[in-house]
Amino acid sequence: MRHSDRPSLLTKFFNLDAKLASSPWGRAAVIVLALVLTIAMTYLLMGKREVIAADTRDYLAFSPLRVFGYPSFLMLMSSIADVRISTVIIQTLIFLGSSVFLALVVLKATRSLVLTLALTVLLYGNIVTTIYNYIAVTESLVTSSAMVALGAMIQFYRTRRLSWFVLICAVAALNIAIRPAGQVYLPFLIVIGLYSWLALRVSLARMAGAFVLTVLVSYGSIYAVNYTVHGFTGTNSNHGTGLLGKAMLLAPKHAGEFAGTPLQEPVSELARIMEPVVSRLDQMENDRARTLISQTYVNYLRFGVLFPMYRDRYNHADGWDRELYVRDIASAIVSRDRAGYLELSWREFMALVTLAPIMTPAEADTARADVERLAPWPYDGDENWEYESGPRLLRMEIGIGDAQRGTATVVAFRVIYYGFYVIGIGGILVMVVTAVRRRPIDLDLQIIGSSAILYAGTISMTALGDVGGVRYLVPIWPCIAVSWIFAADWVRVKALAPRTAAGTDYAPGRRPAIS
């Protein structure tokens, strides 16, 4: 053999990597790593914060404000053992099983043990995601179900078997039953179905049937439970509660338009509360600071002042009574200023995209200076808030904290997220072009583009809904992790097999041999 024909060290490494990936030892290594990371995660996070969060009380009480999925889960957990123990254990085990399922699917798709182990580390490495396994709120189950959905999507693209699309639909129905934000899966399913019909020639009728069944099962079960348990038909949501945040910021501008209407008094009250806040926000120059301060005010005044006041004044028995009240107020204000609502949504969208709370020390100093320039802020410090329910002491503590992450950490965050945006948008554009041409593309690009579609839908719905609702993005971390792994796989395959025809390296379930 001539020297030029000998495989390079890099080629030998990838050959060994592929060989290990196809052996039982490769699968065992993935499972062992996930177990080790689960134990490490438990050691680092167990007991570090209270399992019962503010939202947990509504779930435990089976409040009509919440859909039935997570309250039912907590009821089951409480029947097993103390809910603070059983919930954490089961949520952690579900997270473990889901991460192993996704990792093994990726192992089969990429035939790379190194990339699969890297994905496993990424799934556990984001502390913001994993900490919710130890809190009794929906984020843990939705993150785990997202990993199952991504694994099913990869298998669907590889095999074109409808059963995997049905599994994604089942996850969508489950997520909608857990919390209304799960509705983001419905447009995602439509997009994936259309692409699969155009490019992969999967039966559109069968996918449409699975989609219709998803809608009927998810919403039908919610309607049935609400009628049986709560005595009303319809869906639950925090629509009014979330929309009230934006309505509070718009109220000072439109209070006069409600004169002589039934909503004159509540809208005027919101305007009086928010006018000094909005006037200062309008003078701010730093976008990051403005976002954080507006979120601070909206969330504190909404939960700390308005909701207790409404409960005392109108004897709201639970969150659902309050939701019905604020929904009318918020919807009326927003309907008067769609442009203002979209502007606030755009600010929220950009805050989520740019990771507004994550700043370098230098950026934090600039933001802090903008906040201090307009001090004193309304209702900050020792301020008596007089209502018929009695005085309330507010301590807003407006400001940007001194304990900022290091520059290197912030840069790393931005590289990961901004890089995902770039490769994700590229994947979406390629998917659109190939769908129009009715030709499939590389599996890697399909996964990247589809993950970006799910992420984009979630971030858009979050921005259009609440103010400061960054928690809704927690379950989307697997999309980012999977996209980076498949981007690395695409580079690896193209570098080692540059002559492989696009669209022929995976269907049905095959990848090119690495020689």
Side-chain angles (χ1 to χ4, degrees):
M1 177 184 295
R2 294 178 301 175
H3 179 74
S4 58
D5 293 332
R6 294 176 182 175
S8 65
L9 291 177
L10 184 62
T11 302
K12 290 180 179 179
F13 170 78
F14 281 121
N15 280 333
L16 177 62
D17 180 39
K19 184 176 181 180
L20 290 174
S22 61
S23 71
W25 292 109
R27 293 187 288 274
V30 172
I31 296 171
V32 169
L33 177 60
L35 284 170
V36 170
L37 291 174
T38 299
I39 294 172
M41 177 179 69
T42 303
Y43 175 77
L44 291 173
L45 298 176
M46 179 70 80
K48 296 300 188 295
R49 61 178 298 173
E50 179 58 46
V51 174
I52 305 300
D55 287 351
T56 308
R57 296 177 182 88
D58 281 344
Y59 297 121
L60 288 171
F62 217 107
S63 167
L65 187 66
R66 308 290 184 177
V67 286
F68 72 92
Y70 199 68
S72 301
F73 171 76
L74 290 183
M75 288 178 61
L76 177 61
M77 294 301 99
S78 64
S79 68
I80 297 174
D82 187 325
V83 72
R84 292 170 296 180
I85 299 174
S86 56
T87 299
V88 169
I89 293 175
I90 299 302
Q91 285 184 167
T92 303
L93 291 176
I94 292 174
F95 187 91
L96 170 63
S98 301
S99 63
V100 168
F101 168 73
L102 176 58
L104 292 180
V105 168
V106 170
L107 181 69
K108 190 173 183 179
T110 63
R111 296 188 179 181
S112 171
L113 180 59
V114 171
L115 290 179
T116 305
L117 295 178
L119 171 66
T120 307
V121 172
L122 286 175
L123 293 176
Y124 283 83
N126 189 338
I127 189 69
V128 177
T129 296
T130 55
I131 196 172
Y132 282 100
N133 291 321
Y134 304 91
I135 306 173
V137 289
T138 58
E139 272 69 20
S140 175
L141 293 188
V142 177
T143 301
S144 296
S145 63
M147 290 191 284
V148 175
L150 287 173
M153 183 180 69
I154 295 169
Q155 286 291 82
F156 176 55
Y157 283 152
R158 288 185 65 249
T159 65
R160 309 184 190 185
R161 292 177 182 170
L162 190 66
S163 57
W164 292 110
F165 184 80
V166 171
L167 179 56
I168 306 174
C169 291
V171 170
L174 177 65
N175 274 344
I176 294 172
I178 291 176
R179 66 179 184 185
Q183 296 170 112
V184 71
Y185 273 86
L186 297 181
F188 172 72
L189 285 171
I190 293 174
V191 172
I192 299 307
L194 288 174
Y195 171 79
S196 300
W197 170 56
L198 291 171
L200 304 182
R201 309 300 174 91
V202 181
S203 170
L204 180 62
R206 292 184 178 182
M207 288 188 293
F211 178 84
V212 170
L213 187 61
T214 299
V215 174
L216 292 176
V217 169
S218 57
Y219 289 99
S221 61
I222 291 172
Y223 271 66
V225 170
N226 284 341
Y227 180 76
T228 303
V229 177
H230 303 302
F232 68 88
T233 56
T235 56
N236 325 53
S237 77
N238 282 321
H239 171 72
T241 301
L243 200 61
L244 182 64
K246 291 185 171 65
M248 290 167 66
L249 296 170
L250 296 173
K253 181 180 177 182
H254 300 283
E257 300 174 17
F258 290 88
T261 70
L263 293 177
Q264 176 181 347
E265 182 180 348
V267 174
S268 297
E269 185 171 49
L270 280 181
R272 287 195 303 271
I273 293 171
M274 294 302 298
E275 195 282 328
V277 177
V278 173
S279 63
R280 276 179 172 76
L281 289 173
D282 289 341
Q283 299 175 51
M284 297 196 73
E285 300 172 354
N286 187 285
D287 288 337
R288 288 179 179 272
R290 179 191 170 102
T291 297
L292 296 178
I293 299 305
S294 63
Q295 290 175 355
T296 298
Y297 266 104
V298 165
N299 289 326
Y300 190 92
L301 294 178
R302 181 174 49 176
F303 294 109
V305 174
L306 292 175
F307 291 171
M309 180 185 72
Y310 294 153
R311 182 179 61 245
D312 296 342
R313 183 183 296 173
Y314 302 109
N315 297 315
H316 288 164
D318 52 36
W320 182 245
D321 293 332
R322 183 201 65 222
E323 167 73 12
L324 295 176
Y325 178 70
V326 302
R327 182 185 295 178
D328 292 338
I329 301 173
S331 298
I333 296 174
V334 169
S335 66
R336 298 292 180 97
D337 192 354
R338 294 293 183 185
Y341 164 72
L342 292 176
E343 180 185 355
L344 293 173
S345 298
W346 175 252
R347 288 181 181 274
E348 191 72 16
F349 180 84
M350 292 307 299
L352 295 170
V353 168
T354 60
L355 310 172
I358 302 176
M359 295 181 280
T360 65
E363 290 170 337
D365 289 340
T366 303
R368 194 179 300 113
D370 198 25
V371 174
E372 294 172 351
R373 178 176 60 86
L374 298 171
W377 283 81
Y379 320 128
D380 193 15
D382 298 340
E383 178 76 20
N384 285 323
W385 192 283
E386 296 286 352
Y387 281 114
E388 64 270 26
S389 58
R392 287 186 176 84
L393 189 66
L394 300 187
R395 293 185 178 275
M396 299 293 294
E397 298 179 354
I398 298 299
I400 309 297
D402 294 325
Q404 297 295 324
R405 295 177 175 87
T407 300
T409 303
V410 174
V411 170
F413 262 97
R414 290 176 182 171
V415 167
I416 292 173
Y417 277 81
Y418 293 173
F420 165 68
Y421 300 152
V422 172
I423 62 178
I425 292 173
I428 291 174
L429 293 176
V430 173
M431 286 183 69
V432 170
V433 171
T434 53
V436 171
R437 297 176 62 188
R438 307 206 69 172
R439 293 177 54 191
I441 55 173
D442 290 337
L443 173 66
D444 299 317
L445 297 180
Q446 290 181 13
I447 302 304
I448 294 169
S450 300
S451 298
I453 290 169
L454 180 56
Y455 185 94
T458 302
I459 199 172
S460 298
M461 190 175 77
T462 301
L464 290 169
D466 209 345
V467 173
V470 70
R471 263 180 52 193
Y472 291 118
L473 297 184
V474 169
I476 301 301
W477 172 251
C479 289
I480 299 172
V482 166
S483 294
W484 273 108
I485 293 303
F486 275 91
D489 184 58
W490 185 82
V491 172
R492 175 183 70 101
V493 171
K494 292 303 178 184
L496 295 176
R499 297 180 182 178
T500 300
T504 62
D505 60 338
Y506 66 92
R510 294 195 303 270
R511 294 185 68 83
I514 300 175
S515 58

